[in-house]
Amino acid sequence: QVQLVESGGGLVQPGGSLRLSCAASGSISNFYTMGWYRQAPGKQRELVAEITPRSSTSIADSVKGRFTISRDNAKNTVYLQMNNLKPEDTAVYYCNARHALVGVRDSWGQGTQVTVSS
């Protein structure tokens, strides 16, 4: 496991942008698929985007074309660039690190609040 700390959340108007960062305590370059999840009040946590150690990405249909996930292995950090934000994007966003080995538990950050409102 690695420790994860999210940052970059806040209040933004519809159509605005935010960049979330997730800093890991250890190396994530070789074995960790990194993901961003979000959870709105009363709803289940959902996967927003993932990026593999080889930087292949998966983006949820609800945010495709607006959100981009990237990673900087030298900094052990993953980012979520969120553009053209909508009110329905309002949620707590969580960073996740999934190891390639099934015996290693996932790591989760504490979450960062994103609120999209006029």
Side-chain angles (χ1 to χ4, degrees):
Q1 288 185 299
V2 295
Q3 278 66 57
L4 305 174
V5 179
E6 303 98 333
S7 62
L11 175 64
V12 65
Q13 294 184 347
S17 298
L18 284 174
R19 187 195 191 204
L20 305 184
S21 297
C22 172
S25 62
S27 176
I28 58 171
S29 61
N30 292 328
F31 303 114
Y32 287 94
T33 290
M34 305 298 295
W36 284 99
Y37 292 72
R38 67 185 182 185
Q39 187 168 24
K43 298 183 179 180
Q44 292 187 336
R45 189 172 299 186
E46 64 174 341
L47 176 65
V48 177
E50 281 191 322
I51 184 166
T52 72
R54 296 187 179 183
S55 295
S56 63
T57 61
S58 297
I59 308 294
D61 289 341
S62 59
V63 302
K64 192 171 296 182
R66 299 187 296 119
F67 290 12
T68 302
I69 188 170
S70 62
R71 63 193 295 160
D72 186 338
N73 290 330
K75 297 181 179 179
N76 292 319
T77 301
V78 63
Y79 305 95
L80 184 68
Q81 179 66 47
M82 305 185 294
N83 298 324
N84 192 24
L85 283 160
K86 303 176 180 180
E88 51 263 43
D89 296 320
T90 296
V92 177
Y93 284 71
Y94 298 91
C95 183
N96 168 266
R98 186 176 77 251
H99 200 277
L101 298 177
V102 297
V104 181
R105 295 182 183 273
D106 284 12
S107 296
W108 292 91
Q110 294 299 307
T112 184
Q113 177 71 48
V114 172
T115 302
V116 184
S117 176
S118 299

